[in-house]
Amino acid sequence: MEQTNNSVKREQNKLACSAERENHRPQGNSLKWVTAARALDGYRLHLTFNDGCERIFDCLPLIEKYKLFAPLRDRAVFDHFDLDGWTVCWLDGSIDIAPEHLYEMGHVA
């Protein structure tokens, strides 16, 4: 039963988030912030936003391209992030990624 509920929830998330992306405008409040996050393998984050959409964001391209994100290559640093009320941040807020970027560039979970 729980597996069925998870499948239904995942499908509802995909439909809502896909419809929003296709329309190129957010549903309801356009201001986005991260409400939950967990680290996945391969420098990816599973993110939940204030509108209920879930996204998978791959941080590796940022880590490889920008010196600012180089400390995140250390997996212990990457895994030790915080939520600051808006987005994910590392090293006491010295590294963060705009929630809008996470939302727009993330893939629907």
Side-chain angles (χ1 to χ4, degrees), residues 8-103:
V8 169
K9 181 181 173 188
R10 207 169 18 254
E11 188 61 30
Q12 289 172 338
N13 179 52
K14 285 182 182 179
L15 289 172
C17 295
S18 295
E20 183 171 319
R21 186 170 278 191
E22 286 175 16
N23 292 331
H24 299 289
R25 60 181 178 181
Q27 297 172 348
N29 184 357
S30 63
L31 187 61
K32 302 293 181 222
W33 63 88
V34 179
T35 59
R38 65 184 164 91
L40 303 173
D41 63 338
Y43 299 100
R44 296 177 309 138
L45 296 171
H46 182 275
L47 305 161
T48 304
F49 291 86
N50 59 305
D51 63 357
C53 285
E54 297 177 29
R55 303 268 202 252
I56 304 293
F57 183 82
D58 185 0
C59 296
L60 189 57
L62 294 176
I63 294 168
E64 291 177 337
K65 185 172 184 178
Y66 300 105
K67 288 182 182 181
L68 170 71
F69 295 101
L72 302 183
R73 187 171 291 283
D74 178 341
R75 191 62 201 209
V77 174
F78 180 80
D79 288 342
H80 190 72
F81 59 85
D82 292 306
L83 297 180
D84 68 358
W86 292 103
T87 192
V88 292
C89 59
W90 294 267
L91 301 174
D92 295 323
S94 63
I95 299 173
D96 66 13
I97 304 171
E100 301 85 1
H101 183 74
L102 296 170
Y103 193 92

